[in-house]
Amino acid sequence: MKGATVMKGSSTSKRPLKKSAKFTEVQETLLKEGAAIYVDKKGVESLYIDFPYHVNYVHSYAQDSPFFLGLAEGKLRGTRCEPCKYTWATPRTHCQFCGEPTKWVELPLQGKVHSWTTCHYGSEAFLKETPYNLVIVEFEGANSVLLSRLKACTEEQIYVGMPIVAKFASEPKYLITDVWFEPAPGALKG
Amino acid sequence: MPQASSTVKPPRDVFSGTATPASTKRSGRRVYVVAGGVTKFAKAHPDMDFRLMCKKAFDQARSEVPNLRLNDIDGSRISYFSDHFSRQLKASSMVLDYLGLNPRGSVRIEWGGATGGECFQAAWEAIASGRMDTCLAIGYETMSRVQTWKGNEFIALASDVNYDFPLGGFYSGYYALMVVRHIYEYVRRTKFANIKDEREAQKKAFEYAGRVMAMVSVKNHRNAMFNPYAQYPKNLNVEDVLKSEMVSYPLPREDICTMSDGAAATILCSEEKAKELTEDPILVKGVGCGTDTMRLADRPFGKVLLMPHEKASDYAQLEYPGVHSFRAGRAASIEAYNHAGITNPNKDLSFVELHDAYASSEIQTYEDMGLCRYGEGYGFVERGDPFLKGFDYGMKLPNAGATPVNPSGGLIACGHPVGATGLMQAVMAFWQLQHKVGERFGSEKLQVPNAKRGAIHSHAGTGSAVTVSILERVKP
Ligand SMILES: [Zn+2]
């Protein structure tokens, strides 16, 4: 029962809803969905019901679309502001410093670990993927960095400065996870 | 043998002047805090919805100023972080009518983790501008209504949903990324600079930093044992913290705050009104706010924003803020210190209540707030500066009491009902400065002796927004 998990750690006890002859069927459904009464130490009753909420967003990548389309072609695209001589590894289509439009550039497919972590927990949507490694990637010739996943290596093997290479999904889903990084050949030795 | 990282080399002059903190010329009226109230922060308050929690915090604040009638409150500023947590949009309106504050003016404040701190400053603005003489700042969050990992997902939706969230959307992961680089910059490259093997040097640096972060967790959990409003008072030691399960390397469970239900309220007044209501009003001496890019990956590698006690040559080699420091916290501190006339935060502040969502970010924040120089955060803890004097932490701490940080127990031990947190800090600082901790907590253990001036610091996701406010005792 979902409600029961929510209440873990609080000093209340739980009892089922009273069954009424009139609404048995409705109440059976509510009970199955998690409806319950919680009683605290002073005997105060709080009624809980489950209250689901699902949404499907029609999400446009809008001006960021070339980046995600690029991933499907095995390309990493950043942006560059020529007047500022600044290249973003995570693209932005207007310059953060002068406000002018930037132009799309291709990034190298190899870089280095700028920072990293191994997540042993995650949001609900990613719990089943744990443990996973996150990495901040620095590229030769780029002024900013890129957040990605780091695969094909363990927590013990990763270090700041490790050379890594980009890999692309053979069946792209048009998500940032269409690209990830792995240790460069030979990087795990020594 | 693995080689060291060659960090990104940007054209540094690109950033010159782009991050100067706001002007600190103030022409507004003086603003005082006259009352505060807070519910106990808890995993869940099944018997109270957000309206009733706010009512309890509000009533406690009102009990501190019995001469203030409901009709004397000119309006309010109200804060909660996320509509997702209760699936009730525009919930603030329901709080206002429950408290009896219609038809007076209000506005809802949302600024991520800094929501409460921003609400406090919005109320300050309402008084300073002359728009109101009495303004309620109230905030809350009900996070227990969804499962913990769903809650983490809601919080992570406050990161870029194109580039960051789908990678594993997890704030503990983002903060771990930040502290890993912090440890690399400030521990591996200094304390262990003589070790050539990169992996070995980094392992040693993480071990060392992990123990220091655990000391922060011990401090905050043990402080909270004397704070009846705290959610997780615990008599921990360093080994307990290090043994707790790893959440996101190098941050174990006990280095991380939890989700909570709770509410907090403060009442702010003009000088004239404050004098009518209390013998002991607390002056809001300075306010500051800073921001930074939403994505960690967009933070520049430029120059440090300097405080008066620092020189550019101190940080000649440092690329700032990168992903290792909170530039918004620096900007907010500089603005607030200038406003309050603070030139040496260590000397001028009796205590600090700061946003320790992670033990790591507490250490990073010491540096942002100028309590020590960049790179000195770990040593600051080891020497004992942020610990309370004469308090049993089970450790030798020669400098204990120098600048107590989070005497309340902070977010790590008090809990973090987002919209209430920054206001809870204001209430804790208010009681400290009124020298009423003993009265409110039933124990003098956490009262900072002769507290004269305190800072509160509220911080949003990965440092994308930070507020710092300076509170000062005026009664002799
Ligand atoms: Zn530009």
Side-chain angles (χ1 to χ4, degrees):
Chain A
M1 191 179 288
K2 282 185 209 154
T5 320
V6 170
M7 296 309 303
K8 210 171 90 184
S10 67
S11 58
T12 52
S13 61
K14 185 186 63 150
R15 67 172 177 74
L17 289 169
K18 289 190 195 91
K19 294 205 178 183
S20 96
K22 216 170 169 184
F23 296 108
T24 301
E25 203 176 315
V26 175
Q27 288 193 321
E28 282 300 334
T29 312
L30 289 173
L31 277 171
K32 265 186 217 148
E33 287 172 357
I37 288 171
Y38 292 87
V39 188
D40 72 9
K41 282 177 190 155
K42 291 175 197 154
V44 177
E45 292 186 333
S46 302
L47 171 64
Y48 272 74
I49 60 164
D50 263 19
F51 204 2
Y53 182 40
H54 305 285
V55 190
N56 185 38
Y57 289 93
V58 181
H59 184 77
S60 172
Y61 282 119
Q63 70 271 24
D64 288 348
S65 298
F67 175 83
F68 293 92
L69 290 166
L71 295 184
E73 299 167 26
K75 285 177 182 158
L76 261 184
R77 287 185 179 138
T79 55
R80 179 163 176 84
C81 176
E82 209 49 66
C84 291
K85 302 199 180 341
Y86 198 95
T87 301
W88 281 273
T90 308
R92 41 194 318 139
T93 48
H94 283 85
C95 176
Q96 196 180 346
F97 307 110
C98 73
E100 291 299 308
T102 55
K103 66 176 188 9
W104 290 94
V105 293
E106 267 191 53
L107 295 172
L109 298 183
Q110 56 280 319
K112 281 182 175 178
V113 173
H114 184 75
S115 196
W116 66 278
T117 182
T118 301
C119 296
H120 296 268
Y121 287 89
S123 302
E124 190 180 84
F126 307 102
L127 268 183
K128 60 185 182 301
E129 298 170 33
T130 58
Y132 55 84
N133 308 317
L134 295 178
V135 64
I136 293 178
V137 189
E138 56 183 52
F139 300 90
E140 193 73 39
N143 301 104
S144 78
V145 290
L146 177 72
L147 183 61
S148 190
R149 286 268 189 108
L150 182 57
K151 300 183 185 177
C153 55
T154 63
E155 184 172 324
E156 292 70 32
Q157 292 171 315
I158 311 168
Y159 63 96
V160 174
M162 183 164 85
I164 48 180
V165 292
K167 300 279 176 183
F168 296 89
S170 52
E171 293 174 28
K173 292 178 179 161
Y174 304 107
L175 291 170
I176 186 70
T177 43
D178 284 350
V179 64
W180 67 90
F181 286 76
E182 293 183 4
L188 295 180
K189 291 191 200 116
Chain B
M1 190 187 296
Q3 294 302 302
S5 159
S6 65
T7 50
V8 185
K9 290 275 178 275
R12 279 179 151 216
D13 52 339
V14 163
F15 319 108
S16 300
T18 57
T20 311
S23 161
T24 47
K25 281 181 195 154
R26 302 270 193 243
S27 53
R29 303 192 297 169
R30 285 155 79 90
V31 179
Y32 295 81
V33 184
V34 299
V38 60
T39 65
K40 183 182 166 62
F41 288 180
K43 169 92 178 164
H45 281 306
D47 55 333
M48 293 192 278
D49 71 2
F50 55 92
R51 299 169 303 165
L52 186 51
M53 286 196 306
C54 286
K55 172 75 173 154
K56 297 248 159 129
F58 180 51
D59 284 351
Q60 186 184 21
R62 287 189 65 197
S63 74
E64 295 194 331
V65 278
N67 294 334
L68 178 74
R69 293 165 308 166
L70 197 55
N71 271 337
D72 294 334
I73 300 174
D74 297 318
S76 61
R77 298 294 179 253
I78 177 163
S79 65
Y80 69 99
F81 161 57
S82 177
D83 292 313
H84 294 304
F85 280 112
S86 51
R87 219 199 89 166
Q88 174 64 63
L89 275 67
K90 205 162 185 299
S92 299
S93 289
M94 296 167 73
V95 174
L96 295 182
D97 71 46
Y98 202 78
L99 300 184
L101 291 171
N102 300 133
R104 278 149 287 172
S106 188
V107 67
R108 179 239 176 139
I109 307 292
E110 185 277 303
W111 211 213
T115 291
E118 200 68 54
C119 181
F120 182 80
Q121 295 194 355
W124 175 87
E125 280 166 8
I127 308 287
S129 66
R131 187 173 183 178
M132 296 186 197
D133 285 315
T134 305
C135 183
L136 170 70
I138 190 161
Y140 72 89
E141 210 76 42
T142 340
M143 306 173 85
S144 65
R145 285 3 182 207
V146 298
Q147 310 249 32
T148 295
W149 302 114
K150 193 60 168 179
N152 270 280
E153 198 176 304
F154 288 162
I155 292 168
L157 284 167
S159 62
D160 188 313
V161 298
N162 284 2
Y163 292 94
D164 294 347
F165 178 78
L167 292 168
F170 189 36
Y171 256 100
S172 297
Y174 302 153
Y175 280 85
L177 288 164
M178 295 189 83
V179 77
V180 162
R181 189 68 197 188
H182 191 266
I183 295 167
Y184 178 78
E185 292 286 347
Y186 295 131
V187 183
R188 189 275 176 261
R189 283 179 158 177
T190 55
K191 205 175 176 68
F192 300 102
N194 58 341
I195 301 177
K196 293 242 164 53
D197 184 272
E198 197 53 49
R199 265 200 206 104
E200 187 198 335
Q202 291 185 21
K203 283 260 147 28
K204 286 214 153 61
F206 285 127
E207 273 168 31
Y208 164 79
R211 294 195 77 82
V212 178
M213 289 193 285
M215 290 173 72
V216 171
S217 169
V218 168
K219 167 175 74 71
N220 294 355
H221 281 105
R222 287 205 189 191
N223 286 353
M225 288 168 67
F226 298 91
N227 176 358
Y229 296 95
Q231 185 176 351
Y232 285 116
K234 285 183 195 172
N235 193 22
L236 294 177
N237 59 43
V238 166
E239 298 307 322
D240 297 328
V241 177
L242 294 174
K243 270 187 303 195
S244 64
E245 63 186 325
M246 189 53 71
V247 174
S248 193
Y249 184 85
L251 299 171
R253 177 84 67 189
E254 298 291 2
D255 277 349
I256 303 175
C257 72
T258 60
M259 279 182 252
S260 317
D261 284 5
T266 57
I267 298 169
L268 278 67
C269 288
S270 61
E271 185 159 287
E272 197 183 349
K273 197 76 198 172
K275 281 180 179 162
E276 283 175 26
L277 293 172
T278 174
E279 300 261 275
D280 196 1
I282 300 300
L283 176 65
V284 184
K285 182 93 170 168
V287 294
C289 177
T291 61
D292 216 325
T293 64
M294 179 72 146
R295 298 188 294 238
L296 273 184
D298 288 1
R299 308 269 164 94
F301 296 82
K303 292 175 185 168
V304 177
L305 308 179
L306 296 173
M307 288 195 179
H309 63 284
E310 296 170 326
K311 297 190 299 289
S313 58
D314 297 347
Y315 303 122
Q317 301 305 314
L318 185 62
E319 290 167 339
Y320 180 89
V323 301
H324 52 77
S325 291
F326 305 116
R327 181 172 56 161
R330 202 14 104 104
S333 301
I334 291 174
E335 187 190 353
Y337 293 165
N338 284 347
H339 185 197
I342 288 174
T343 49
N344 183 342
N346 258 331
K347 197 168 125 285
D348 299 341
L349 294 172
S350 316
F351 66 91
V352 176
E353 286 285 341
L354 66 79
H355 191 100
D356 58 325
Y358 301 88
S360 52
S361 58
E362 174 160 331
I363 293 172
Q364 288 160 309
T365 297
Y366 300 149
E367 300 172 350
D368 301 323
M369 292 187 78
L371 304 180
C372 58
R373 274 163 214 264
Y374 280 108
E376 290 177 357
Y378 300 97
F380 187 71
V381 175
E382 284 191 296
R383 288 193 305 272
D385 291 54
F387 291 75
L388 288 162
K389 198 175 179 143
F391 192 100
D392 177 25
Y393 295 105
M395 296 178 247
K396 251 177 112 175
L397 302 158
N399 275 14
T403 310
V405 175
N406 289 328
S408 68
L411 281 60
I412 284 184
C414 289
H416 183 20
V418 184
T421 304
L423 289 163
M424 175 275 284
Q425 295 172 321
V427 176
M428 295 297 151
F430 173 69
W431 289 340
Q432 280 286 0
L433 293 165
Q434 283 197 329
H435 303 167
K436 279 191 177 156
V437 168
E439 208 175 297
R440 296 286 178 264
F441 289 4
S443 156
E444 291 283 348
K445 288 285 278 186
L446 301 179
Q447 177 66 55
V448 174
N450 307 314
K452 169 72 180 161
R453 198 178 294 112
I456 54 175
H457 162 279
S458 192
H459 163 123
T462 71
S464 53
V466 177
T467 65
V468 172
S469 305
I470 311 295
L471 278 64
E472 185 174 288
R473 179 184 177 85
V474 286
K475 189 180 168 184

